[in-house]
Amino acid sequence: MMATRVNMTAADFIAEAGAETLTDTDTLDFFGHDVYQRGADLLCVVRPKNTAELSAAVAAATSQNIPVIPRGGGMSYTGGYTTDQPGAALFDLGAMDRILDINETDMTVTVEAGCTWAKLYEALAPRGLRTPFWGTLSGLKASIGGGMSQNCLFWGTGRYGTAAQSCLALEVVLADGTVLKTGEGFTRPYGPDLTGIFLADTGALGMKATITMRLIPEAEAHGYASFSFETHEETLAALGEIERAGVTTECFGFDPSLNAIRMQRDSLGSDARALGKMMKKQGSVWGALKEGAKVVVAGRDFLDEAKFSLHVLTEGRIQAAADDDLERARAIALKHGATETENTIPKIIRANPFGPLNGMLGPDGQRWAPVHGLLPHSRAQACYDAVIALFASHKEEMDRLGVFTGTLISSVSGSGAIIEPCLYWPDASNPVHAASMDPSHFAKLPKLDHDEAAWQLVQKLKAALVDLLLEHGAAHLQIGRTYKYRESLDPAADDLLLSIKKKVDPNNLMNPGSLGL
């Protein structure tokens, strides 16, 4: 039975449930921020070490009518865990980071929600295994629980889809502390997809405690190619046909502005070292020396910054298979007007898949915020045209305030294309940047002051992009409190969503406001 003390505060009562509970000012301020902005003041930060502590602490909070908010690795920039409602208990799940089971017979792995993608990948690599989707570029910090709540993409997305598509089963803590188990742990679905209900819910329906995912053998052979294009129409057409051919595990590209930003940001020395390590792992000391030297010699001129780029990665059990897929992708790109360029970028990224998160600020310390939409290929070009037109209509104001953009595109197996315009603006960094980036890199960046006029323009542009993407029928990952999910639903589907929310969270205390609930 929980002990009682005279004059206990609400935070004291939560702490009595057994999980570490923090209320000092610095901790509350840090956890009040995400990558993009600060939310309302928090009551406390709760750090459970296991499912039992998580369940007890959630129950203790909600029994006092205190909202509870889950936080994974803290990489959200869409209000996934920042709220405008003060007095919430934020649950930092970073201490729940154990790998609970690796089953090589059934080819499944079960982890606690706070386990990072990088930690899991490193644990599986000596066994020659990985999950089909195996992490985000922020996977050094980003957690698997956060990935399942927000949904995410990158490593493996070109062939296996998003994070949610690799999930088999969950343990979820509901608003009253109930631990709900979904799925059979080895197949999905069995009957109605109860696991799917809690995936990509942005933590609005429950907190992920454990996640079970499929395993596949790690690839033994790889292929890499890069291309430049004159226009976004050619680039998107090539990306779409490559995705439909099913020949790549990753296919992504940058507009000329983002090309220029990447060339300013990356480090030649670290690139060469990362490539060298990758080639040595593949058994080629000579290859390591050759690839490292190639990066240094090429410098930052191997990619024409005035053009669009597209980068493809292939993999297979044997090199002939990876090479054949690469040749098919190459033929498609060339058919759409590409010029093949040095393949350094995909090699660098693959050599260091979970590198330091130095892209969270621009090359001169500017703030960064991406806005994205997932569209079928048939609608991607019209949406991209609309994004260009939106920025053109604000060009004078953007130039005056130092606001600029760069756009990423990426394929998603079976779904279409991600279009992700990124906003950059002069502004002060926040504590999440300092805690997430490589300290030496962060120290070298200029320290900017808050620019209210630039911030207000970015707010306006971000809202306009969200509206534009809704008009074009885009879907979203990281819905959080940013994207208009419920506005996109059929009324009957929205009623069903509200009914589920009412069942699992009758008092609307589980991350209220996220998912539009």
Side-chain angles (χ1 to χ4, degrees):
M1 179 178 294
M2 188 180 298
T4 58
R5 291 187 281 118
V6 177
N7 298 324
M8 287 178 65
T9 66
D12 290 334
F13 188 77
I14 297 170
E16 289 284 309
E20 180 183 17
T21 303
L22 306 172
T23 58
D24 63 281
T25 301
D26 288 346
T27 297
L28 296 183
D29 181 61
F30 174 79
F31 284 98
H33 289 84
D34 71 0
V35 176
Y36 182 62
Q37 64 185 358
R38 191 187 193 282
D41 290 343
L42 299 168
L43 169 71
C44 61
V45 172
V46 185
R47 302 198 75 228
K49 296 187 294 296
N50 52 52
T51 301
E53 286 190 3
L54 173 62
S55 170
V58 167
T62 58
S63 69
Q64 302 176 87
N65 208 38
I66 295 170
V68 293
I69 300 175
R71 180 188 189 271
M75 297 295 98
S76 173
Y77 41 79
T78 57
Y81 60 85
T82 53
T83 173
D84 57 7
Q85 182 176 343
L90 184 138
F91 281 68
D92 170 25
L93 302 182
M96 292 177 57
D97 66 346
R98 292 177 299 166
I99 299 170
L100 300 173
D101 180 60
I102 300 173
N103 187 326
E104 297 187 50
T105 300
D106 297 335
M107 292 294 277
T108 64
V109 60
T110 300
V111 301
E112 290 182 316
C115 180
T116 65
W117 293 103
K119 179 176 179 176
L120 177 61
Y121 184 72
E122 290 166 3
L124 292 173
R127 302 169 185 250
L129 299 172
R130 74 164 199 245
T131 52
F133 172 91
W134 52 280
T136 63
L137 288 175
S138 58
L140 193 64
K141 298 282 187 179
S143 71
I144 295 169
M148 294 304 165
S149 292
Q150 297 277 47
N151 209 4
C152 52
L153 55 80
F154 198 78
W155 290 117
T157 291
R159 178 162 291 167
Y160 301 104
T162 65
Q165 291 169 268
S166 289
C167 183
L168 292 170
L170 299 167
E171 281 187 322
V172 181
V173 175
L174 303 182
D176 64 356
T178 298
V179 179
L180 170 69
K181 296 182 179 181
T182 74
E184 289 298 302
F186 66 95
T187 185
R188 173 182 164 215
Y190 174 43
D193 189 8
L194 300 181
T195 298
I197 290 173
F198 294 94
L199 295 172
D201 71 331
T202 70
L205 302 180
M207 292 195 197
K208 284 47 167 194
T210 69
I211 300 101
T212 300
M213 292 176 286
R214 289 194 295 127
L215 291 175
I216 61 172
E218 175 61 287
E220 299 177 44
H222 303 268
Y224 310 90
S226 294
F227 306 93
S228 66
F229 295 85
E230 298 292 335
T231 68
H232 69 274
E233 291 91 348
E234 294 171 335
T235 314
L236 284 168
L239 178 139
E241 188 170 345
I242 288 170
E243 188 270 314
R244 290 190 294 274
V247 293
T248 62
T249 51
E250 289 84 33
C251 181
F252 60 94
F254 312 126
D255 75 346
S257 178
L258 202 54
N259 280 333
I261 292 166
R262 288 195 61 83
M263 295 305 100
Q264 293 176 60
R265 188 180 68 207
D266 290 344
S267 163
L268 289 175
S270 62
D271 289 349
R273 286 192 298 272
L275 273 176
K277 289 178 181 178
M278 180 180 75
M279 297 303 295
K280 287 177 181 177
K281 285 181 180 178
Q282 295 175 5
S284 174
V285 175
W286 168 241
L289 294 172
K290 184 169 67 173
E291 290 295 341
K294 188 185 295 183
V295 173
V296 175
V297 171
R300 291 297 164 204
D301 297 324
F302 61 83
L303 187 63
D304 188 340
E305 295 175 6
K307 296 184 179 181
F308 293 81
S309 67
L310 192 68
H311 311 281
V312 299
L313 292 85
T314 66
E315 59 185 37
R317 184 177 56 82
I318 58 173
Q319 193 61 49
D323 289 345
D324 183 69
D325 280 347
L326 188 67
E327 186 55 41
R328 291 169 188 263
R330 177 180 288 117
I332 292 169
L334 296 176
K335 182 179 77 172
H336 288 281
T339 298
E340 189 159 6
T341 62
E342 186 61 58
N343 61 4
T344 307
I345 285 179
K347 282 185 176 178
I348 289 169
I349 294 177
R350 186 60 175 82
N352 192 20
F354 303 118
L357 309 182
N358 294 337
M360 293 174 73
L361 294 176
D364 295 312
Q366 301 95 340
R367 290 286 303 278
W368 160 85
V371 183
H372 75 271
L374 173 59
L375 296 113
H377 296 299
S378 60
R379 298 205 300 266
Q381 291 200 11
C383 183
Y384 200 111
D385 290 340
V387 170
I388 293 173
L390 173 66
F391 291 146
S393 70
H394 290 85
K395 184 178 187 305
E396 182 178 350
E397 190 178 10
M398 291 170 67
D399 288 347
R400 177 169 54 83
L401 295 174
V403 178
F404 59 97
T405 67
T407 300
L408 174 144
I409 61 171
S410 182
S411 66
V412 180
S413 178
S415 297
I418 286 282
I419 297 175
E420 183 174 88
C422 301
L423 299 165
Y424 294 85
W425 73 100
D427 209 340
S429 62
N430 75 33
V432 174
H433 301 120
S436 303
M437 298 171 66
D438 176 69
S440 61
H441 180 85
F442 183 78
K444 288 186 289 189
L445 291 175
K447 300 303 180 281
L448 306 181
D449 295 325
H450 174 59
D451 188 324
E452 183 63 23
W455 169 247
Q456 290 301 327
L457 176 57
V458 166
Q459 295 277 70
K460 182 170 70 173
L461 290 171
K462 186 174 181 180
L465 284 168
V466 169
D467 288 341
L468 182 158
L469 292 164
L470 178 66
E471 292 169 8
H472 283 263
H476 301 283
L477 317 173
Q478 281 216 37
I479 297 167
R481 292 171 173 81
T482 294
Y483 297 110
K484 297 184 174 180
Y485 170 65
R486 290 186 59 200
E487 289 86 337
S488 71
L489 293 180
D490 175 89
D494 189 51
D495 284 345
L496 178 59
L497 175 66
L498 291 173
S499 298
I500 295 171
K501 175 69 169 176
K502 188 70 174 176
K503 176 64 177 177
V504 298
D505 182 18
N507 297 316
N508 195 25
L509 294 172
M510 181 64 69
N511 208 6
S514 69
L515 208 64
L517 295 168

